[in-house]
């Protein structure tokens, strides 16, 4: 999947964030074994200022992590919303979750709970850095055997119309 990401200029532009989420999700729906467990609940949300390919990278990493944590009987729900002047995307899964003892380290570079050869431990660290570079927040809540909720929020662009 990483090879499919477009590397482009580091110039921020107005981005239709809901479109990025939808495109990334649809790409994964076509190419992943458990794609049928991804359910989209996307509503129109304001645009954001951002670097499109970096925001794509955030959602690829988050969705792949959810898919890795889930089995055939699980569910991943991707929801968009507006909270004040922020746009929000929540990725919630019913997968195996994360042990409490690991929660404080999930955004640390090279931290992984995956077996050797399956993960570098950079995905969530990269997500955290990109979201912060965009003036946003990323929050992860999880419990063992009860799934994970990741919430990403970014400032919306004011509509001048």
């Amino acid at each position: 999947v990483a090879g499919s990401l477009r590397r482009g200029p580091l110039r921020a532009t107005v981005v239709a964030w809901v479109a990025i989420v939808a495109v990334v999700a649809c790409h994964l729906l076509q190419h992943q074994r458990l794609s049928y467990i991804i359910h989209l609940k996307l509503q129109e949300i304001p645009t954001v200022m951002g670097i499109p390919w970096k925001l794509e990278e955030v959602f690829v990493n988050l969705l792949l992590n959810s898919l890795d944590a889930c089995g055939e009987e699980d569910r991943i729900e991707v929801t968009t919303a507006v909270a004040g002047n922020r746009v929000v995307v929540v990725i919630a899964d019913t997968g195996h979750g994360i042990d409490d003892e690991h929660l404080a380290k999930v955004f640390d570079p090279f931290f992984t709970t995956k077996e050797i050869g399956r993960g570098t431990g950079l995905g969530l660290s990269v997500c955290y850095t990109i979201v912060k570079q965009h003036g946003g927040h990323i929050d992860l809540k999880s419990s063992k055997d009860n799934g994970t909720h990741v919430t990403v929020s970014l400032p919306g662009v004011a509509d001048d119309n």
Side-chain angles (χ1 to χ4, degrees), residues 15 17 45-49 82-88 134-135 153-159:
V15 177
W17 202 25
I45 54 177
T47 56
V48 298
M49 278 306 273
V82 178
N85 65 345
R86 300 188 76 76
V87 293
V88 178
H134 284 78
S153 70
L154 295 174
V157 174
D159 185 5

Side-chain angles (χ1 to χ4, degrees), residues 33-53:
R33 180 179 64 82
L34 292 176
S35 61
Y36 61 89
I37 70 169
I38 299 174
H39 302 275
L40 304 178
K41 290 180 145 184
L42 306 180
Q43 67 176 345
E44 278 302 313
I45 54 177
T47 56
V48 298
M49 278 306 273
I51 301 167
W53 64 267

Side-chain angles (χ1 to χ4, degrees), residues 93-98 141-149:
D93 69 58
T94 59
H96 59 68
I98 301 168
K141 293 184 179 5
S142 186
S143 62
K144 188 72 175 158
D145 299 323
N146 288 314
T148 300
H149 285 65

Side-chain angles (χ1 to χ4, degrees), residues 23-111:
V23 166
V24 168
C26 287
H27 177 75
L28 289 176
L29 287 171
Q30 294 173 358
H31 300 289
Q32 295 296 315
R33 180 179 64 82
L34 292 176
S35 61
Y36 61 89
I37 70 169
I38 299 174
H39 302 275
L40 304 178
K41 290 180 145 184
L42 306 180
Q43 67 176 345
E44 278 302 313
I45 54 177
T47 56
V48 298
M49 278 306 273
I51 301 167
W53 64 267
K54 284 188 165 236
L55 294 174
E56 287 175 11
E57 188 170 357
V58 168
F59 291 102
V60 166
N61 280 328
L62 294 177
L63 281 170
L64 286 177
N65 277 353
S66 282
L67 283 166
D68 283 348
C70 288
E72 293 178 2
E73 302 300 317
D74 288 310
R75 178 180 176 90
I76 298 171
E77 194 166 276
V78 181
T79 307
T80 57
V82 178
N85 65 345
R86 300 188 76 76
V87 293
V88 178
V89 174
V90 176
I91 299 176
D93 69 58
T94 59
H96 59 68
I98 301 168
D99 288 329
D100 288 342
E101 67 193 70
H102 298 306
L103 286 175
K105 299 181 259 181
V106 294
F107 295 115
D108 291 353
F110 304 108
F111 177 78

